[in-house]
Every structure is written in C-alpha cells, then in structure tokens.
Amino acid sequence: MSNKLIFIMLDGLRYDTAVSQMGYMHHLIEQGKAARYKVKSELPSLSRPLYEVLLTGTPVYQNGITTNQTVRLSKEESLFHLTKKNGLTNATASYYWVSELYNSAPFNPMTDRIQLNPNNTIERGIFYWEDHYPDTHLFADANYLLQTYEPDFLYVHSMNIDDDGHKFTADSKEYRNRAIAVDILLASVLPQWMDAGYQILLTADHGMNDDGQHGGTTTADRDVPLFLISDQVKPGIHEEEIPQLQIAPLACELLNIKPAAAMQQLSIQILKGAPSI
C-alpha cells in the first residue's frame, strides 16, 4: 500500500456545487474508487487563514493567521515541515500565499516563482500570483513536479473557481461552469496520478455566497467537499460532517507520519477497519 499523497485544494468550491457539477469525481464514487464527505470550514472563512488551518491543523486564534493581509511565515508545524522531518519529499504548485506561509515572506514575483531548493520547508515549488492564472497551467505545473521529482507529498492549489465566484457570484453559470472545467482537468490527470501510486485528498478552503464573497458563517461560506481516493478509505457517499481541523491529521495518517503536537487527534472514522460513526 502506498503512502504517497496528492492534496488538491480547489479554492472557493462550495459543497453543493461540487455535488451537482463534478461528474468525474462522482463517477469514481459510483465505481467504488472514491469517497465523498462534507467539511465544515473554520472561521473566518477566508483564504489565507484557512490555508494555514488546512496545512497545520491549528485554529486561527492559535496560529495567528487571522486575515488575508497577515503576511508572515507560519509559526506552526505544517505538512511540509512534517514530511521533511520524517524523511519524505514534498512539492507544491500553489498560489503565492503558500510560499509566504512556509518558505519566505514577502513574495517577490521576479525571484520566487520557481523555488527548487531541498533545504527549504517547501522543497520544490512553482507559485503563481494572479487569481486568474489558468488552472490548465496550474495542473501542468503540478504534473511537471510529480514527473520530475516524484515527491511523497504534492500540494496542488487551484484558484479559478474562487476567482469566478468573486467575479460572477456562486449563483452564476460562470461559477458552475468553472467547477465543471476543473472536474474535466481532474479527469485528465487523476488516472495517471493514481496509476503512479498516489492517494488523492481533494477539498476546498471555503465556499462562496450569492453575493460573490465569503468570510461569514453561512453554509454557503463554510460547507465544502472532501473527496478521498485511497485504499485506506471506505468508498461511497458519507453523510458525516467533518471539522476542517481534522484534515491535516487525516493527511498525516494517509502519509503514515506522526501529526504535529498542535494538531487534534484524528477522531473521524474514515479509514477502513475503523468503527462506523
């Protein structure tokens, strides 16, 4: 059984849109290859704070990344730190805020776009800084990193769903069509990535409301999907609502590494052999 993991984060994808628009992902579920859960995001339902939540498993009041304008390195132990600590390799194709959290801040587009330094917390990184940077390019960046470096942990951060949500609102054909477009990209890359022995964890940071914004407490702001493809996970559609703070310790379990001391203990019963909730 492989413990290699690709963590895909689709920025701004709300749960109901994922359920209604992502046909390929649901094909995998229907064929017993994937599982789907609902995740309740932490607050505030903003991007940079929730990047830190997803990658460190710590709440905002603790980690101090409270706004999108909090530009500094994380003080927590992230999945990137933990993979290096355990002798695993890591890579990412991500929005530049991820670099600012775990490699260096502030980000300089002229020097920091491509970072290939095994001494960094993020060892191999390709970063973008415009929200409309095409997801087609982003997944090509991720595929390059996978084929070239074969990292044990690959974090892929897509921004186009969030971008269209802000431009056109969640109740728009543009937002729904962008979710379909990402699903088609997933259908193009996931078969190869799964054949290469990778488990897949796919989720979102936050949702999007019908005003084209997020940050609040509504289900539109907070409810996001979790898709899992792994021999360790029970396939199918599951109705349990998972706290977002459980995602990082779940990733550690899939990677077969010890979680950080600041992370919650993994309490959700997702893995095969675990008693049902």
Side-chain angles (χ1 to χ4, degrees), residues 13-120:
L13 175 62
R14 56 191 255 179
Y15 177 76
D16 57 352
T17 302
V19 169
S20 63
Q21 305 301 320
M22 304 194 83
Y24 174 70
M25 296 306 299
H26 285 84
H27 162 71
L28 294 176
I29 292 169
E30 287 186 353
Q31 297 301 314
K33 304 296 184 184
R36 190 193 82 202
Y37 289 84
K38 179 191 292 184
V39 171
K40 179 71 71 175
S41 87
E42 283 287 291
L43 292 173
S45 51
L46 295 170
S47 294
R48 195 188 298 249
L50 295 183
Y51 301 170
E52 176 81 340
V53 167
L54 286 167
L55 288 164
T56 70
T58 58
V60 167
Y61 83 88
Q62 178 178 328
N63 63 49
I65 304 296
T66 57
T67 74
N68 285 343
Q69 289 73 44
T70 308
V71 181
R72 64 163 172 80
L73 283 172
S74 169
K75 298 176 182 177
E76 304 295 332
E77 204 170 24
S78 72
L79 293 173
F80 297 111
H81 293 88
L82 291 171
T83 48
K84 286 182 67 72
K85 183 178 180 179
N86 286 274
L88 304 181
T89 56
N90 68 55
T92 190
S94 292
Y95 194 58
Y96 74 102
W97 289 358
V98 175
S99 175
E100 289 184 329
L101 282 168
Y102 308 113
N103 267 5
S104 63
F107 181 86
N108 182 342
M110 295 300 104
T111 59
D112 298 344
R113 169 163 164 72
I114 297 175
Q115 301 178 40
L116 305 175
N117 184 346
N119 294 318
N120 287 345

Side-chain angles (χ1 to χ4, degrees), residues 157-176:
H157 175 192
S158 149
M159 189 62 92
N160 287 175
I161 294 172
D162 181 78
D163 188 42
D164 277 354
H166 285 304
K167 290 174 178 174
F168 304 106
T169 82
D171 186 20
S172 67
K173 64 181 182 181
E174 290 85 0
Y175 180 79
R176 291 185 288 270

Side-chain angles (χ1 to χ4, degrees), residues 2-6 150-153 196-200 254-255:
S2 171
N3 291 111
K4 295 191 296 184
L5 178 66
I6 298 175
E150 299 180 347
D152 298 297
F153 175 64
Y198 283 89
Q199 305 169 99
I200 309 296
L254 295 172
L255 286 161

